[in-house]
Every structure is written in C-alpha cells, then in structure tokens.
Amino acid sequence: MAKIAVLPGDGIGVEIVEQALRVLRALDLPLEMQTALVGGAAYEAHGHPLPDSTLALAKAADAVLFGAVGDFDFDHLERHLRPEQAILGLRKHLGLFANFRPALCYEQLMHASSLKPELVAGLDILIIRELTGDIYFGQPRGRRTAVDGHFPGAEEAFDTMRYSRPEIERIAHVAFQAARKRNRKVTSVDKANVLETFQFWKDVVTEVHAQYPDVELEHMYVDNAAMQLVRAPKKFDVVVTGNMFGDILSDEAAMLTGSIGMLPSASLDAHNKGLYEPSHGSAPDIAGQDLANPLATILSAAMMLRFTLQQAEAADRIERSVRAVLSAGLRTADIWSEGTTKVGTRAMGDAVVAAITGKTITKS
Ligand code: IPM
Ligand code: MG
C-alpha cells in the first residue's frame, strides 16, 4: 500500500487539498494517507513551520501531497520561522532537486489567457527548474558591514549564487530525458553573458547534451527567455534552468495558460519520490470562502499517480475528468468567462468526482 503524506498547509491549501483527496478516494486505489500540519498552521501549533514530526512523515512516505503555505499573519516572523521555510526545508531534506512545472493551455480556457488565443492555443511547455541549489541555498549569506564595494563601512546584505557540476549534470539529464518523451527540444536558460555560475551551467549542459544527440539543445539568456515566453511561447518544448530563474519564468509561463489555478507541479528526488503541489500560493485573501480553484491540486494528484506511484491509467482518468468538467462549462471564479457556469471549490470537486465515477455532470 503506497503511503501518502498529506500536508494541506495554510490559506486555500486546506480546501483545495480536501478536493484532491476526494478525487483520489473516488479512484479506489490502495493508498494510505496521513495528514500533518505545515507552514503557518504548524508554527501556530508547534512553534515551527516544518516540525520534526511533519518532516519524518514526509520522509517515510512514498509521496507528499502539498497544498500551499503562507499567510500575512506570519510575515513579521524571523525568516527561519516563516511558512515559506517549510517548503524550502522539504525540498532540501527530501533532496527534491527536479521541479516539473508544465504550462498547458486547455482549449476550453484559451480565452482566459492574457495573450491572444492564437498565441496560446495548444500551448504545452514544460519548465524544469533546479530546486535545491543556486542563490536560494548558496552559503554564505547574511548581513554585515561592507569592507569594499561602492560604500565601504555601510550595512549590506548578500547571498551566494553557486552550482556544482553534479547538480547541473543531474538536472540536465532530467531535462533531456523528459524531452525524449515530448518534442525533443531543450532550451537551457542562463545568464552566461554576465554570471560565472551560469557560464558554467551552460558549459556543463552542453557537455551532457553530447549523450543526447537525438534532442535539440538551444541556449537562451534569461531576459530574452522572459520576452520569448510572451512573444512566441509555442516555440518552447522543455525549458531547463536554475532555481531563481525557474521561479520567475514558471510564474510567467503559468499565466500564459489563463490561470495559475490550473497548474500542477512535481518536485522529484533521484528515485522518483516526489512532492506534488499546485503552482499557485496560499491566497489567504480568499481562504475559506469556497472560491479557490482546486483543479491545480487535483491535477497534482494525477502527476503523483503518474510519476511516483506508476498508476498512469488512474492519472489519465483524473486528467480526462478535468477536461470533461471544463467542457461542461464549469468554472471557478479565476477562470470564469461570459457564458460559462461559475462554481465554488467544493462544487468543482464534486464535478470531478462525478466525472470519475461516471455520473453526469450537472451545471448547478
Ligand atoms: C515557488 C514559490 C516558492 C519559491 C516560495 C514560496 C519559497 O514561489 O514554489 O515557486 O520561491 O520557490
Ligand atoms: Mg514561485
């Protein structure tokens, strides 16, 4: 029986994960699910956003289903106690170095994109973000008195951008292998024109590419990539990049599809164990109001079945059901448009469950 650690977190995390769990239960698979607190909710109960008990549960599980963390109430805390540290800690302690963020534009939602429909119709790109290195985790970091620079003697803060060869090699392999299952093109995004770290990135990705002659490799500077993503997004297939650039570009790519509320993500270790979470955040402003779109989390559960639990058929069933619900015209507020039916979080979950169990979808 596969063990799933369920970490709903804060804000809308709780209600969207609840819908994903209902969908998983409807599939009747042998899954053992255990829930624990994480983020601000865990800080309130245990004084830490990632308590040892939660980390232990996540480590012992085959996969982690994660909601979202963060709430305005915790923004004043010292950095190591803020809710965001929970997700960074999980990535680090579970070795989740490969982050898959697909940006898929559903035909039914083409008109919700901020770009012209013809630019995004059929869009299907995969951003692969390195997730445990770069300036996010590089040491040293901190505050000190400057000894040099433009203002010696002034107070300053600093972080360290760094990547080792094995870190780049392994994420490059992940990207080339993913491209083999798609359109065989990888765009490696860097800033080699300015940064030593990303000249090295570019060199190492080029070396690894020698093992994948059947995959096309192109290099692109991050500023240009940000531009090309809104100019001609369909020219991309797999994009591979570092932690920080990937953070930024994946939000940009998400928005092309109409709503970040639709996009799942997977963060994998070297053995396909993974943490699955929606690409969006905890949206505390709409929490508890039955407004949030649960589809990104439901689709994250599908990714979990596909990548970690080797249940491709069940994953297909979820994805087909989501498409059916969209085709039936059901929309949460974030993807609603004239002529479609606005529903809440729970009703959207109901509709996906109904589609999975073969019942007809009603528009009420
Ligand atoms: C993400 C988020 C996180 C990140 C935050 C919450 C720490 O923006 O998953 O993209 O920066 O990685
Ligand atoms: Mg982000």
Side-chain angles (χ1 to χ4, degrees):
M1 172 113 54
K3 277 195 200 149
I4 317 290
V6 180
L7 311 181
D10 305 319
I12 59 171
V14 178
E15 53 207 294
I16 55 182
V17 166
E18 189 188 323
Q19 300 312 317
L21 292 180
R22 293 178 62 216
V23 169
L24 284 172
R25 282 191 215 105
L27 288 164
D28 225 357
L29 299 167
L31 303 177
E32 183 191 317
M33 309 206 231
Q34 274 204 55
T35 302
L37 295 176
V38 75
Y43 173 78
E44 276 188 329
H46 304 288
H48 197 278
L50 183 58
D52 289 343
S53 52
T54 300
L55 182 58
L57 182 77
K59 277 190 173 165
D62 297 300
V64 179
L65 185 64
F66 190 91
V69 289
D71 205 329
F72 311 125
D73 296 352
F74 307 104
D75 285 351
H76 65 280
L77 293 174
E78 278 177 64
R79 181 167 306 282
H80 75 281
L81 294 175
R82 288 196 203 158
E84 290 76 11
Q85 292 304 311
I87 186 68
L88 295 173
L90 283 164
R91 288 171 185 171
K92 180 173 152 191
H93 293 294
L94 300 183
L96 306 171
F97 71 93
N99 183 215
F100 285 66
R101 297 193 169 181
L104 196 87
C105 185
Y106 289 84
E107 194 195 320
Q108 299 93 330
L109 300 180
M110 207 160 72
H111 297 278
S113 173
S114 47
L115 294 191
K116 294 188 199 103
E118 64 267 28
L119 285 186
V120 294
L123 180 75
D124 179 0
I125 62 187
L126 174 62
I127 303 215
I128 297 185
R129 167 186 176 195
E130 198 292 326
L131 205 57
T132 51
D134 203 353
I135 197 165
Y136 267 59
F137 291 95
Q139 294 291 341
R141 57 191 284 162
R143 292 191 186 206
R144 63 186 173 195
T145 302
V147 292
D148 49 17
H150 294 297
F151 293 97
E155 192 188 359
E156 72 172 8
F158 65 104
D159 298 275
T160 303
M161 179 177 272
R162 57 192 285 185
Y163 264 122
S164 63
R165 172 178 285 277
E167 282 177 294
I168 305 170
E169 283 175 353
R170 65 182 181 177
I171 196 73
H173 282 291
V174 167
F176 290 123
Q177 281 163 22
R180 276 188 172 159
K181 296 187 191 146
R182 299 171 45 98
N183 293 321
R184 294 177 185 263
K185 180 176 169 190
V186 170
T187 305
S188 170
V189 172
D190 63 58
K191 190 70 189 174
N193 50 344
V194 178
L195 301 171
E196 211 51 60
T197 314
F198 276 90
Q199 180 61 57
F200 185 53
W201 172 282
K202 184 173 179 178
D203 295 346
V204 175
V205 171
T206 305
E207 278 175 46
V208 173
H209 179 232
Q211 298 173 46
Y212 300 88
D214 53 319
V215 178
E216 183 193 339
L217 170 65
E218 101 185 309
H219 300 280
M220 197 178 281
Y221 297 142
V222 64
D223 48 350
N224 186 27
M227 182 171 78
Q228 299 305 329
L229 268 175
V230 286
R231 198 182 74 90
K234 282 191 261 180
K235 292 211 171 134
F236 293 98
D237 177 22
V238 173
V239 174
V240 66
T241 190
N243 205 345
M244 169 105 124
F245 299 156
D247 178 44
I248 300 165
L249 294 181
S250 61
D251 266 25
E252 188 188 5
M255 205 52 227
L256 301 176
T257 68
S259 172
I260 197 166
M262 291 299 301
L263 298 180
S265 81
S267 305
L268 304 178
D269 75 358
H271 314 284
N272 273 348
K273 169 169 173 168
L275 179 147
Y276 298 84
E277 60 173 326
S279 286
H280 59 73
S282 55
D285 51 324
I286 60 162
Q289 298 170 43
D290 199 40
L291 285 174
N293 185 347
L295 293 179
T297 316
I298 291 171
L299 291 166
S300 297
M303 277 184 109
M304 174 176 87
L305 294 172
R306 191 184 306 285
F307 284 84
T308 296
L309 304 176
Q310 312 303 327
Q311 298 267 9
E313 218 172 286
D316 286 343
R317 267 177 83 189
I318 296 183
E319 288 162 1
R320 267 201 315 273
S321 302
V322 167
R323 281 175 207 273
V325 165
L326 293 174
S327 293
L330 302 194
R331 303 282 187 274
T332 41
D334 57 313
I335 49 174
W336 179 83
S337 61
E338 210 61 49
T340 62
T341 310
K342 201 182 280 183
V343 296
T345 311
R346 192 169 176 91
M348 189 56 110
D350 287 342
V352 179
V353 168
I356 281 180
T357 52
K359 302 203 181 89
T360 45
I361 301 163
T362 52
K363 290 197 187 184
S364 64

